[in-house]
């Protein structure tokens, strides 16, 4: 079987790391709203891939996370006057209603960000100790120039990344392309204690922790929609490979 590898921009023969076992990690939704047809499409596509691999005798560990803490979730909870987990739990239930209706097989594991905080803090600490991250005012950033090949998935040149293209310009960062690993808490927000003060995880760090915990150091296939290639999957690769000195994913 050949599959298209976004990293190499080629169709390649699929060779599992530990055949007949296959590990697939697919980025799940940020649960602040119902999924739409564009969200559902990659889940259908990779469900078909999973079924085909199983049909061919592979044992597939299929992991899909839920981002259950996020600015949009907090805003919706504040608007409704409820706890943020009430919003997350409600939309996770609706996610299963929709994906079950599409006959998408349930994943092997459904980790949630709020249940993986200790592992996230441990990874951030390790990245700081290895010189790949730095803390300013309770917020920890990944230092992208320390990663020799940041941009290899999206084929973006780090020097060409424009400050403020995706988010508001942050003058605290050492480099415009640096991204948040741990963000200092704002008043009234959900938060957890950490070595840098109370706060919560950045967006990208969660998947690196979950992929390693539930699949292993290197994942066979990492998937979701093309819109996540940059910055999400790019940043995942950088922080994971800074930690492990081995590939995050083969395809």
């Amino acid at each position: 079987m050949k599959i298209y590898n976004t990293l190499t921009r080629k169709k390649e023969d699929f060779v599992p790391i530990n055949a007949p076992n296959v590990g697939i990690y697919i980025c799940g939704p940020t649960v602040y709203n119902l999924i739409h047809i564009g969200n559902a499409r990659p889940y259908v596509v990779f469900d078909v891939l999973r079924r085909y691999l199983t049909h061919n005798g592979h044992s597939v560990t299929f992991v899909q996370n839920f981002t259950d803490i996020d600015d949009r979730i907090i805003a919706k909870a504040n608007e409704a006057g409820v706890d943020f987990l009430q919003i997350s739990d409600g939309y996770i239930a609706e996610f299963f209603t929709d994906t079950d209706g599409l006959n998408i097989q349930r994943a092997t594991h459904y980790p949630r960000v709020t249940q993986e905080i200790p592992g996230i803090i441990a990874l951030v600490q390790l990245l700081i100790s290895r010189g790949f991250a730095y803390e300013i005012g309770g917020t920890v950033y990944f230092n992208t120039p320390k990663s020799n090949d940041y941009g290899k998935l999206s084929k973006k040149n780090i020097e060409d990344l424009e400050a403020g293209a995706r988010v508001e310009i942050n003058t605290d960062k050492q480099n415009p392309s640096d991204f948040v690993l741990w963000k200092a808490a704002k008043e009234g927000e959900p938060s957890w204690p950490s070595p840098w003060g109370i706060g919560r995880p950045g967006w990208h760090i969660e998947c690196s922790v979950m992929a390693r915990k539930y699949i292993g150091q290197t994942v066979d296939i990492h998937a979701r929609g093309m819109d996540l290639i940059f910055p999400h999957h790019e940043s995942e690769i950088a922080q994971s490979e800074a930690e492990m000195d081995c590939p995050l994913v083969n395809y």
Side-chain angles (χ1 to χ4, degrees), residues 210-232:
M210 295 172 184
R212 180 170 185 180
K213 178 177 178 179
Y214 292 96
I215 295 178
Q217 282 195 319
T218 301
V219 176
D220 285 299
I221 299 171
H222 193 309
R224 178 85 188 266
M226 292 178 65
D227 57 311
L228 294 189
I229 292 173
F230 184 88
H232 187 51

Side-chain angles (χ1 to χ4, degrees), residues 151-169:
K152 67 180 179 181
L153 180 68
S154 59
K155 312 306 180 191
K156 292 180 181 290
N157 186 324
I158 192 170
E159 296 176 357
D160 295 336
L161 294 176
E162 182 180 355
R166 177 175 169 87
V167 296
E168 185 176 338
I169 295 173

Side-chain angles (χ1 to χ4, degrees), residues 1-176:
M1 182 181 73
K2 290 183 181 290
I3 58 175
Y4 181 78
N5 189 348
T6 308
L7 185 62
T8 61
R9 299 293 197 268
K10 296 177 181 177
K11 290 182 181 178
E12 299 176 353
D13 291 321
F14 176 63
V15 181
I17 297 166
N18 186 28
N21 301 309
V22 176
I24 299 177
Y25 186 93
I26 182 165
C27 285
T30 301
V31 283
Y32 69 97
N33 210 335
L34 301 171
I35 63 169
H36 53 67
I37 193 167
N39 302 136
R41 182 179 181 272
Y43 300 123
V44 172
V45 168
F46 294 106
D47 180 64
V48 172
L49 174 61
R50 175 191 186 181
R51 289 172 184 268
Y52 181 73
L53 290 168
T54 302
H55 171 74
N56 281 351
H58 292 89
S59 176
V60 180
T61 298
F62 196 94
V63 180
Q64 181 224 289
N65 73 304
F66 287 113
T67 300
D68 61 349
I69 181 69
D70 171 84
D71 289 340
R72 292 162 293 185
I73 295 170
I74 295 169
K76 185 160 280 192
N78 290 342
E79 182 181 342
V82 299
D83 184 81
F84 80 97
L85 284 176
Q86 188 171 333
I87 299 297
S88 298
D89 290 346
Y91 284 119
I92 287 173
E94 292 297 332
F95 172 88
F96 285 125
T97 297
D98 292 336
T99 53
D100 288 349
L102 290 167
N103 197 30
I104 295 171
Q105 289 183 315
R106 294 279 181 117
T108 314
H109 304 285
Y110 285 106
R112 296 171 56 155
V113 178
T114 56
Q115 297 171 354
E116 305 293 338
I117 300 297
I120 289 170
I121 290 173
L123 176 53
V124 175
Q125 286 179 300
L126 181 59
L127 291 172
I128 292 174
S129 71
R130 300 195 72 179
F132 286 96
Y134 59 92
E135 180 263 337
I136 297 176
T139 294
V140 181
Y141 299 93
F142 186 88
N143 192 332
T144 53
K146 292 283 188 178
S147 176
N148 293 329
D149 51 8
Y150 188 76
K152 67 180 179 181
L153 180 68
S154 59
K155 312 306 180 191
K156 292 180 181 290
N157 186 324
I158 192 170
E159 296 176 357
D160 295 336
L161 294 176
E162 182 180 355
R166 177 175 169 87
V167 296
E168 185 176 338
I169 295 173
N170 185 333
T171 56
D172 289 338
K173 297 191 294 186
Q174 293 181 5
N175 310 285

